[in-house]
Amino acid sequence: MNRRSRGSSSSSGSVGGASDSCRRRSDVPRNRNNDNNKGGDSADVSFIVGTCSSMCPERERVTRERLRDLSVFERLHGNPTKSSSDLAVKKFCRTLSAADVQASDVRPLPVLEETLRYLLSLMDSREHPFEVVHDFIFDRTRSVRQDLSIQNLASERVIHLYEEIVKFHVISRQRLQSCSGASISSMHHLNMEQLAKTLTTLYNIYDVNRKPDYIYENEAEFRSLYVLLHLNTSSGVMGEPLSLWFRKLTSNLIKSKEMCFVRKLLRSYRNGNYRSFLRTTASEATYLQYCISEPHIREMRSFAVECINNVCYKLQPYPLLRLSQNLMMKYIIFRSWMLNLYAMSVVLRYVLIPMAALCCQRSRQASAVQRKVLKTMI
Amino acid sequence: MAYVSMGEAHRRITEYLNRFCDAVSYQDSSMLCRLLSFSSNSPSLLSLADALNVFQDASSLIRQSDKFSEYGEILAHLFRSLQSYRVGNLVEAYLAFEKFANAFVQEFRNWESAWALEALYVVCYEIRILAEKADKELTSNGKSPEKLKAAGSLLMKVFGVLAGKGPKRVGALYVTCQLFKTYFKLGTVNLCRSVIRSIETARIFDFEEFPRRDKVTYMYYTGRLEVFNENFPAADTKLSYALQHCNPKRERNIRMILKYLIPVKLSLGIIPKDELLQKYNLHEYMNVVQALRKGDLRLLRHALQEHEDRYCIVAVFLRSGVYLVLEKLELQVYQRLMKKIYIIQKLSDPARAHQLKLEVIAKALRWLEIDMDLDEVECIMTILIYKNLVKGYLAHKSKVVVLSKQDPFPKLNGKPVGS
């Protein structure tokens, strides 16, 4: 353990922001070559054992209270200068190196488990808009991950923590879609970035100390998420092309139900088979897999409309109701989506004539209305 | 290990030292190659190793003579490596060889002409092989393997030495290929990018100047990278080049090239003859090729799905990275099936042959034991028409596909589907 004297630490004053790091400064010059306190193998040097017993180190809580740097979730009775050990959660802070960190600032595994449980319980909070909730949990889970990696922890309990954090990012991704605001798209981007990082770490931990032919309880599902993030050839979310990634899978994983499912989806997606894609997703996807597939579901539906638009005989109108059933959309939602598509003149070639062709057969009045609407829009 | 007397050991070591120094003085590259090639396990090297292990103080021998001490550092490391290699201590052998290699490369830089290029190739090859063996030893002892990664760094250094204006630059492609093999083995293929960029954009290199053998290997690996990145036309170009220029006697190499070229060609609509598959023992593709020829969707699905077999073909395809290429063949198989239906209809009722009823297609699929409702059949036909595999249109109400009178099933003509 390192003991170094420090000057006062300063923070950047942002309130729970997903943006930047704070830096710790010290007035004492560092002598990195002289590590008298560390013994043993060079491999053990940077792995601290944390001793902080609450969700937030006391030092940090006191400092942030003083600087009014408390998130809304951390304020005791809404007081921006007062928190408590039940409410304060350690903030993410980019440290310069592991040598700068003190053991009393790092939370051991049981505390991290408790912290994560608490953080995830806030997901359903109705008091604040989701962006605010997401922002807080985003930052604080990042700090949890940091504590885990500084201590180089890797066990089944740790796997469970990472899996829960991945779930958070996936669900957030979906919920952020229905939020609005200027910063949402950058939040979304940062969320995807951390999702990718967390998944990578999770996969590494699965691989470390693996017993031959063994896969962890949820491993197949979490591996399948990688495939779903890479259905599209051009999406390089995590940098490694899918065919390379597949090489590393063990045969147990390849044979698992979840991997078979995503391979089926992959086949349908790559071949443009929207019917199979939508049906397979509807019948076999877990909630997490569904959340990740959502953009592709929309893509497949648009693709279906584009195909049908180009390929169908114009004198034989394609009933909207039937189409909405095939694309597994509620009819009302489908109709308004179609009107929106044409209003934005997205992608489709022969707009006017097939528009009439795609009119609903149930009432000629409705189709007349649509034609009128269309003419005013274009 | 054979018993060797001190006198005999002394003689063997001195003989080797003389050979080494003469090889350098007379610029005898092939002699030098023989002296450095550990993995050949030649009797002379093995007997030298035995001698070293008996004599134990070869460095004193080296120091005694001016002729030998000129290359003292190189020889000392080399001997140490050989000794460790002989007793099966592969990690030590690697570490010493790495030091030898570094010293050797320093000398190589000072030699003006490129006479020792072949010997340098041997050094590069040996270091990679030794690193792989060392990593095996490390993993079997529960430690993490890092020697191959280190070998990669050394090879990059050698590349840097060769990347200059002089005659030595023709060696750069050989080293590049050693790097490719290293990165592929490590799984860090993205590292290939920087060395590829150097070869392809640096003005000092003229691709045509490189030896043929190296060009073939280079195109093979870069072709495989294109397969991984799903750039099929580029993969076709490169792998075809490799095939064309490969020595026809090297059947093993041809097989390796075909293993990747065949799926790429399939995706472009080009089907190999069965004789080719048989000659080069590429049975894993037999079913896929058959399915494409006959429009047999069931056979294709069977070939790419899970089996209960011990020998899991899917895993083979996934490991070699061609799985995604093969999955996309489904649309071509559908096209072939539609064409067959059309041909059969033409024989029985030519006037109506250009109308494919969805019901008839569904029936054909049921014969292949594939159960598909009309909505899905319609979906497939829609895609086929949209991607230009079928020319015509779909009449939804009549549940019929009306084919164009002219060329209703266009060939891919070397372009991937849907482009």
Side-chain angles (χ1 to χ4, degrees), chain A residues 233 243-244 246-247 249 263 266-267 270-273 275 279 306 311-313 316 318 322 326, chain B residues 189 228 230 305-306 319 323-324 327 330 373 375 378-380 383 386 393-398:
Chain A
T233 339
S243 3
L244 263 180
F246 269 123
R247 273 175 118 196
L249 295 182
R263 280 186 9 239
L266 186 61
R267 190 182 322 135
R270 295 277 174 102
N271 285 321
N273 189 340
R275 184 112 172 91
R279 259 171 135 181
E306 185 179 342
V311 144
C312 282
Y313 185 42
Q316 291 199 3
Y318 200 114
R322 186 106 197 104
N326 277 340
Chain B
V189 264
F228 280 135
E230 300 189 68
Q305 236 99 290
E306 280 328 325
R319 292 279 153 69
Y323 176 79
L324 291 175
E327 283 282 36
E330 198 167 271
D373 63 20
D375 282 323
E378 186 185 65
C379 165
I380 304 275
I383 305 166
Y386 184 77
Y393 62 84
L394 183 86
H396 169 78
K397 191 172 174 202
S398 327

Side-chain angles (χ1 to χ4, degrees), chain B residues 4-23:
Chain B
V4 182
S5 73
M6 281 300 261
E8 173 63 13
H10 184 282
R11 189 196 67 77
R12 284 185 197 172
I13 298 173
T14 321
E15 185 182 1
Y16 183 92
L17 289 170
N18 273 313
R19 283 216 191 110
F20 186 94
C21 297
D22 288 343

Side-chain angles (χ1 to χ4, degrees), chain A residues 170-281:
Chain A
V170 171
I171 294 174
S172 271
R173 182 199 210 218
Q174 209 215 7
R175 287 178 73 173
L176 283 174
Q177 310 275 19
S178 41
C179 297
S180 60
S183 57
I184 293 293
S185 78
S186 71
M187 263 190 178
H188 178 79
H189 176 79
L190 290 169
N191 187 46
M192 290 306 289
E193 201 178 63
Q194 293 306 314
L195 169 62
K197 286 204 179 136
T198 317
L199 267 180
T200 306
T201 314
L202 179 58
Y203 294 157
N204 286 336
I205 300 187
Y206 282 142
D207 284 331
V208 150
N209 298 329
R210 184 199 286 280
K211 292 169 241 161
D213 286 343
Y214 179 77
I215 54 176
Y216 292 92
E217 191 184 340
N218 300 319
E219 186 177 351
E221 185 182 3
F222 282 88
R223 295 267 186 192
S224 73
L225 298 182
Y226 188 93
V227 178
L228 293 174
L229 286 169
H230 287 78
L231 282 184
N232 202 338
T233 339
S234 49
S235 67
V237 175
M238 281 155 84
E240 203 180 30
L242 203 50
S243 3
L244 263 180
W245 184 85
F246 269 123
R247 273 175 118 196
K248 300 189 267 186
L249 295 182
T250 63
S251 54
N252 274 355
L253 274 173
I254 294 175
K255 291 192 186 141
S256 69
K257 178 174 63 113
E258 291 83 350
M259 288 308 294
C260 287
F261 162 72
V262 291
R263 280 186 9 239
K264 201 169 172 191
L265 272 199
L266 186 61
R267 190 182 322 135
S268 309
Y269 181 85
R270 295 277 174 102
N271 285 321
N273 189 340
Y274 49 85
R275 184 112 172 91
S276 162
F277 184 91
L278 293 169
R279 259 171 135 181
T280 311
T281 311

Side-chain angles (χ1 to χ4, degrees), chain B residues 69-329:
Chain B
S69 56
E70 194 183 341
Y71 304 107
E73 203 194 333
I74 294 180
L75 290 163
H77 291 310
L78 186 61
F79 281 170
R80 211 169 307 130
S81 177
L82 189 54
Q83 280 178 267
S84 305
Y85 180 74
R86 184 68 171 119
V87 298
N89 199 338
L90 297 161
V91 179
E92 289 301 318
Y94 171 80
L95 288 167
F97 198 92
E98 195 184 46
K99 295 199 174 105
F100 155 73
N102 270 312
F104 181 84
V105 172
Q106 285 304 327
E107 273 304 314
F108 178 85
R109 278 172 105 159
N110 299 332
W111 296 328
E112 273 215 20
S113 78
W115 74 266
L117 214 46
E118 290 286 332
L120 184 66
Y121 292 166
V122 172
V123 173
C124 290
Y125 176 80
E126 293 296 325
I127 200 145
R128 181 174 63 88
I129 300 297
L130 264 176
E132 286 180 20
K133 291 187 177 147
D135 274 353
K136 261 200 208 129
E137 189 178 280
L138 285 169
T139 354
S140 66
N141 291 337
K143 301 205 192 111
S144 83
E146 11 122 275
K147 298 308 177 198
L148 190 55
K149 203 167 164 208
S153 307
L154 191 131
L155 287 169
M156 272 308 260
K157 243 198 267 181
V158 177
F159 182 86
V161 167
L162 295 175
K165 283 202 197 133
K168 294 175 187 168
R169 69 179 186 279
V170 290
L173 204 61
Y174 180 87
V175 181
T176 304
C177 293
Q178 292 300 315
L179 274 166
F180 283 163
K181 293 185 193 203
T182 308
Y183 292 146
F184 268 72
K185 186 97 190 222
L186 286 170
T188 52
V189 264
N190 51 310
L191 294 176
C192 295
R193 218 177 300 149
S194 68
V195 70
I196 290 175
R197 212 180 308 140
S198 304
I199 294 279
E200 293 185 1
T201 60
R203 261 179 274 161
I204 41 166
F205 293 133
D206 176 8
F207 194 71
E208 292 313 311
E209 274 185 338
F210 292 120
R212 190 186 207 196
R213 167 199 69 174
D214 295 337
K215 284 194 280 196
V216 169
T217 312
Y218 179 82
M219 284 299 194
Y220 166 75
Y221 280 106
T222 47
R224 279 185 68 182
L225 284 173
E226 300 287 7
V227 172
F228 280 135
N229 291 323
E230 300 189 68
N231 298 329
F232 300 135
D236 184 22
T237 311
K238 297 187 178 172
L239 292 170
S240 297
Y241 179 100
L243 186 66
Q244 231 180 326
H245 292 85
C246 183
N247 184 342
K249 295 207 189 103
R250 303 268 188 210
E251 293 207 353
R252 192 172 154 266
N253 291 350
I254 295 192
R255 180 180 190 279
M256 283 165 78
I257 299 172
L258 284 174
K259 196 169 150 197
Y260 297 95
L261 186 55
I262 287 177
V264 170
K265 288 282 194 196
L266 288 177
S267 77
L268 299 172
I270 300 166
I271 302 182
K273 297 205 172 77
D274 276 339
E275 296 87 67
L276 187 70
L277 296 178
Q278 301 232 358
K279 180 173 183 197
Y280 292 104
N281 213 4
L282 289 160
H283 300 290
E284 60 259 39
Y285 294 127
M286 291 263 188
N287 277 344
V288 176
V289 168
Q290 181 84 312
L292 268 172
R293 259 199 219 118
K294 290 188 163 174
D296 189 345
L297 190 64
R298 172 186 46 181
L299 191 56
L300 181 74
R301 289 225 174 137
H302 184 70
L304 296 179
Q305 236 99 290
E306 280 328 325
H307 307 302
E308 301 310 316
D309 313 8
R310 273 175 299 153
Y311 185 63
C312 185
I313 283 260
V314 180
V316 171
F317 290 147
L318 281 169
R319 292 279 153 69
S320 59
V322 298
Y323 176 79
L324 291 175
V325 188
L326 296 172
E327 283 282 36
K328 281 180 102 159
L329 297 175

Side-chain angles (χ1 to χ4, degrees), chain A residues 109-128:
Chain A
L109 186 56
V111 179
L112 290 170
E113 287 173 319
E114 202 189 296
T115 309
L116 189 62
R117 234 189 323 261
Y118 168 69
L119 287 171
L120 294 179
S121 72
L122 298 171
M123 277 288 268
D124 294 321
S125 139
R126 305 261 170 225
E127 281 179 60
H128 306 278

